[in-house]
Amino acid sequence: MAHSKALLVLENFIGGKFVPCSSYIDSYNPSTGDVYCRVPDSGKEEVEAAVKAAKDAFPIWSSKSPLERSQILNKLADLIEHDLEAFAQAESKDQGKTITFARTVDIPRAVHNFRFFASSILHHVTECTEMPAMGCVHYTSRAPVGVAGLISPWNLPLYLLTWKIAPAIACGNTVVAKPSEMTSVTAWMMCQLLEKAGVPPGVVNVVFGTGAKAGEALVCHPEVPLISFTGSTLTAQRITERSAPHCKRLSLELGGKNPAIIFDDADLSQCIPTTVRSSFANQGEICLCTSRIFVQRGIYSEFLKRFVAEAKKWKTGNPSDPTSDVGALISKEHLEKVRTYVKKAQAEGARVLCGEGVDPLALPPGNQKGYFMLPTVIAEVKDESCCMQEEIFGPVTCVVAFDTEEEVIRRANGVKYGLAATVWSSNVGRVHRVAHRLQSGLVWTNCWLVRDLNLPFGGMKASGIGREGAKDSYEFFTEVKTITIKH
């Protein structure tokens, strides 16, 4: 393909320097369908150089005090915040998400990730027990592990990359990170700020490229004892297999097929706008998005009418337009995949109430070739349908009726995933009862996506292994040792 000279060309960041690569991959602007950036197609050689740089930087970085590392993380947070608008524009263009979402969610959260771990690293305490009869004292100490391999996805690029980099380096590890090849620009921009923030060369290395080449090389590297991955369950199976011979420690945050359970005593004035948001925010491309909505039969028809009316108010259009609610999906292939699910639902006899194939999609002239899709609501879907079992990861949600609490818990749990769930009811006893019985790592009641980063984040079943958060990330990114002293 012929490339104009105006294309942005990214470079790997290894040992504190930008390093050109011998081959590149095209990266598309999802809102126009045009190639606008070239991303290094890194492999074994580049990963090898990055791991060496990380290993060389480890002794000095790991010997710094938590306070010294904390000050550097805070400085990096300040620098990203100073350039927030440039980061937001880049994230929106590269990923297809609306500029409003990038400005209010992605980049502020990336800043907060560094500040949060800069603070939390100062407050951990280790354990100590005494055995007076034996004349012994036991205590634990924690130390950084070494080089951490961090692989982040395309849906919340800088947000989820920094959610891994921040705790890894706060704990004294050095890192080799591989962002998604589809959304690499903000990671590259962050690398430009590392030196100014005081991050020593080699502490943070970023290697761009595909999972099959760069990701594989990182996962298979014998000198990378930790792998933290956010992405699909299928890729996680591959990572588990490839890392098994090396006994690596894995943190895997995977997909979800998240239910919302709406009882007939729910406050619909709160529930409907929030459930529209939980279904369609970021084009439905968030692992925590709601894709199965169970509504108690008594309010089912009223809910459906109001929910569809609210979903139709969401404006799909140019991501750089601040009034757009829904941007473009990540790629042409992904858009096709999401559309296929809607077609399958129709073929099975379900009703598409709004969105794909039902309502006209009007786009500005410059966005006609972009990967857009309207918020789509499907009703009367069978529980065993692929639309109710598989993660679609787009602006599609299914609404079905239920009768009893017992029945809805069974149906909500009837998928292979277990990441998040939402429960809507004004009955406190019921809210607690249902929350305890849902097979879900996170349960929100009468709200969605309210996060306290101190608490564990992660899923059950096929939604992952391990948890992330202040304590969980600290434990993952450190090695614990029990020391016994006889006096």
Side-chain angles (χ1 to χ4, degrees):
M1 181 184 239
H3 294 288
S4 71
K5 285 186 179 146
L7 287 186
L8 180 62
V9 179
L10 307 189
E11 292 180 321
N12 289 324
F13 189 73
I14 298 171
K17 293 188 174 66
F18 285 100
V19 186
C21 193
S22 55
S23 62
Y24 290 84
I25 310 161
D26 288 337
S27 180
Y28 292 81
N29 175 338
S31 73
T32 62
D34 297 328
V35 173
Y36 91 104
C37 168
R38 311 212 65 212
V39 177
D41 186 13
S42 308
K44 235 177 179 159
E45 199 179 313
E46 291 80 4
V47 168
E48 191 60 61
V51 172
K52 185 185 183 309
K55 270 189 74 182
D56 292 349
F58 180 71
I60 290 174
W61 183 247
S62 59
S63 64
K64 284 191 187 293
S65 70
L67 181 60
E68 287 175 288
R69 294 197 294 262
S70 173
Q71 287 165 339
I72 291 170
L73 262 72
N74 274 320
K75 179 77 168 115
L76 182 54
D78 293 345
L79 292 170
I80 296 172
E81 188 171 58
H82 180 266
D83 292 347
L84 191 143
E85 183 58 23
F87 273 97
Q89 295 277 355
E91 202 73 292
S92 173
K93 184 175 183 178
D94 198 23
Q95 201 274 340
K97 68 178 71 232
T98 66
I99 185 64
T100 307
F101 199 87
R103 267 182 200 143
T104 57
V105 179
D106 287 71
I107 312 306
R109 174 58 192 274
V111 171
H112 183 56
N113 286 337
F114 283 115
R115 288 198 180 131
F116 178 82
F117 285 104
S119 168
S120 76
I121 195 64
L122 304 176
H123 304 292
H124 294 290
V125 290
T126 56
E127 297 158 292
C128 176
T129 60
E130 293 182 77
M131 283 181 161
M134 305 285 290
C136 284
V137 170
H138 309 277
Y139 68 93
T140 58
S141 79
R142 283 192 173 268
V145 184
V147 180
L150 312 177
I151 301 173
S152 57
W154 50 255
N155 61 329
L156 301 161
L158 193 66
Y159 171 144
L160 289 174
L161 179 65
T162 54
W163 176 234
K164 297 181 186 305
I165 290 177
I169 65 174
C171 291
N173 302 283
T174 56
V175 309
V176 177
K178 191 211 80 75
S180 166
E181 72 279 12
M182 292 193 273
T183 53
S184 295
V185 175
T186 48
W188 172 76
M189 288 169 67
M190 182 195 69
C191 293
Q192 295 168 358
L193 304 176
L194 293 174
E195 189 182 351
K196 196 174 175 186
V199 179
V203 171
V204 175
N205 305 277
V206 180
V207 175
F208 299 105
T210 64
K213 259 176 81 175
E216 185 99 353
L218 185 56
V219 166
C220 295
H221 201 293
E223 291 172 292
V224 179
L226 297 169
I227 299 286
S228 177
F229 168 78
T230 299
S232 75
T233 301
L234 202 63
T235 305
Q237 290 166 352
R238 174 91 181 154
I239 289 172
T240 306
E241 286 164 8
R242 301 300 287 165
S243 63
H246 306 287
C247 287
K248 295 188 188 227
R249 190 186 299 186
L250 301 180
S251 168
L252 307 171
E253 200 275 283
L254 313 175
K257 191 67 188 168
N258 309 311
I261 300 175
I262 299 159
F263 288 98
D264 56 15
D265 60 349
D267 175 356
L268 293 186
S269 68
Q270 294 284 309
C271 168
I272 286 171
T274 305
T275 308
V276 169
R277 194 165 57 87
S278 71
S279 299
F280 305 125
N282 203 50
Q283 301 72 248
E285 294 170 331
I286 306 178
C287 55
L288 303 165
C289 274
T290 303
S291 53
R292 297 181 296 145
I293 303 172
F294 295 92
V295 185
Q296 203 153 21
R297 204 170 297 278
I299 57 164
Y300 179 72
S301 55
E302 187 202 347
F303 175 89
L304 211 50
K305 193 170 79 195
R306 286 169 64 179
F307 185 79
V308 169
E310 194 72 27
K312 283 182 166 183
K313 287 182 196 164
W314 274 46
K315 178 181 164 186
T316 301
N318 189 338
S320 62
D321 176 349
T323 66
S324 291
D325 300 298
V326 181
L329 274 71
I330 186 67
S331 68
K332 198 173 182 175
E333 295 74 19
H334 188 57
L335 174 62
E336 281 313 313
K337 180 186 152 187
V338 176
R339 279 179 174 158
T340 302
Y341 277 106
V342 181
K343 289 191 186 108
K344 280 181 180 167
Q346 281 173 309
E348 290 168 356
R351 285 193 306 140
V352 179
L353 301 178
C354 66
E356 178 64 22
V358 176
D359 300 308
L361 172 54
L363 292 169
N367 299 108
Q368 299 288 334
K369 291 187 175 155
Y371 317 133
F372 293 90
M373 182 170 173
L374 291 165
T376 301
V377 180
I378 307 176
E380 292 158 35
V381 196
K382 292 184 174 67
D383 283 8
E384 56 274 16
S385 162
C386 62
C387 295
M388 287 284 277
Q389 292 292 325
E390 297 170 22
E391 183 175 48
I392 300 174
F393 218 62
V396 178
T397 197
C398 300
V399 187
V400 294
F402 76 90
D403 292 296
T404 68
E405 185 180 311
E406 197 62 38
E407 167 212 344
V408 78
I409 291 167
R410 178 179 50 76
R411 291 170 68 190
N413 288 340
V415 292
K416 69 176 182 176
Y417 295 106
L419 183 53
T422 54
V423 180
W424 291 87
S425 171
S426 53
N427 179 325
V428 177
R430 173 153 63 195
V431 158
H432 285 288
R433 229 175 20 247
V434 174
H436 281 288
R437 293 186 60 196
L438 289 171
Q439 294 165 357
S440 199
L442 303 135
V443 181
W444 281 289
T445 67
N446 301 323
C447 63
W448 177 69
L449 205 55
V450 178
R451 292 271 290 114
D452 178 345
L453 304 189
N454 284 294
L455 300 182
F457 175 90
M460 300 181 179
K461 302 194 287 193
S463 289
I465 294 175
R467 295 291 185 270
E468 295 174 290
K471 189 163 169 279
D472 297 87
S473 296
Y474 176 64
E475 288 174 357
F476 178 76
F477 285 114
T478 54
E479 201 70 84
V480 69
K481 184 181 289 185
T482 302
I483 299 165
T484 303
I485 310 287
K486 186 167 169 63
H487 51 79

